Amino acid sequence: MLFRSRPFLVGAGLLMPLTAFGCFVTPAPMVLLPSLVLFGLVSTVFVPVMLTIPMEAPQIGPTRAGVAVSVILAAGNLSGFVAPLLVGAVRDATGTFAVGLGGAALLALVLAVSGLLVPETGPVAAKAEAARSV
């Protein structure tokens, strides 16, 4: 089955901030519980796609795919370490978690933008390129 990677990246990048805001704007269970479930799904669905893109990208190739995936994982782990520290510092400065968590939630929009900028890879892109060249 062929699929495109862009919808996963753009969709996750747009839905993560919405569901993240639902996780901390209200303690109402009718908002909180669905937001938590959807945030968990949306924040993990794009990871396999993101890790596959370097392996399929012709400009990276299989010899450098390991390095590219390592850079992606290092950036993700570094941001996972730094983000709570920044949210805590903003909470200390403002007295509320909402500002720091809101800023962190909006950072997921970078994923949506990068999904729009990265070229489509994989069998779907190869099939589309072959159709264009005919």
Side-chain angles (χ1 to χ4, degrees), residues 65-96:
V67 174
V69 170
S70 297
V71 169
I72 291 170
L73 292 173
N77 288 330
L78 180 63
S79 66
F81 173 77
V82 172
L85 298 174
L86 291 176
V87 170
V90 171
R91 191 257 181 229
D92 290 345
T94 63
T96 179

Side-chain angles (χ1 to χ4, degrees), residues 47-132:
V47 175
V49 173
M50 183 179 60
L51 296 177
T52 304
I53 290 173
M55 296 176 212
E56 296 176 336
Q59 60 270 44
I60 294 177
T63 56
R64 289 184 252 152
V67 174
V69 170
S70 297
V71 169
I72 291 170
L73 292 173
N77 288 330
L78 180 63
S79 66
F81 173 77
V82 172
L85 298 174
L86 291 176
V87 170
V90 171
R91 191 257 181 229
D92 290 345
T94 63
T96 179
F97 279 110
V99 176
L101 289 173
L106 290 175
L107 286 174
L109 293 174
V110 173
L111 178 63
V113 171
S114 66
L116 293 172
L117 296 176
V118 71
E120 192 66 57
T121 61
V124 171
K127 193 174 182 180
E129 184 66 31
R132 266 188 256 133

